Amino acid sequence: ERVREGRRDLANVSDRGRKDLQSALEGLGLALKREEESLLAEVDSCAGDVWELLQTDAEAHLQEALQQLQRHREAGDATEALIWYARLRKAVSAPIGDQPD
């Protein structure tokens, strides 16, 4: 009798563990799906900006980078100023054919 009861207890524990694992995996799958949807929405919202940047001519690109660098430097935003400085350096050092059209 005690052996049967022990086996039943083990089976219950095993079943509960399996259900908990299944529930956790379903939750993880749901979280991953939400994260994927969020990332895709972010990509969609940035796609227009990226397209616009790729379509500008080289001079406009340089002018924009310079203006942004000056604006952020004057505002005291060192991080953004450094980002725009790096973009400006890259644009200036790139051969004419490699700059955005």
Side-chain angles (χ1 to χ4, degrees), residues 29-101:
L30 206 62
L32 287 173
K33 183 176 180 177
R34 275 189 246 130
E35 182 65 22
E36 179 184 22
E37 289 170 354
S38 173
L39 288 172
L40 289 174
E42 190 174 337
V43 166
D44 286 344
S45 71
C46 293
D49 294 337
V50 171
W51 179 253
E52 185 178 314
L53 284 173
L54 293 174
Q55 297 305 311
T56 59
D57 61 46
E59 186 176 332
H61 182 68
L62 289 170
Q63 184 66 30
E64 171 71 11
L66 181 58
Q67 288 173 351
Q68 290 294 333
L69 169 61
Q70 290 171 337
R71 183 172 69 93
H72 291 293
R73 185 183 56 82
E74 290 169 2
D77 188 350
T79 303
E80 283 296 317
L82 284 172
I83 290 170
W84 282 101
Y85 173 75
R87 289 177 180 170
L88 182 61
R89 272 193 65 151
K90 184 177 179 182
V92 167
S93 66
I96 299 292
D98 290 348
Q99 294 179 354
D101 295 333

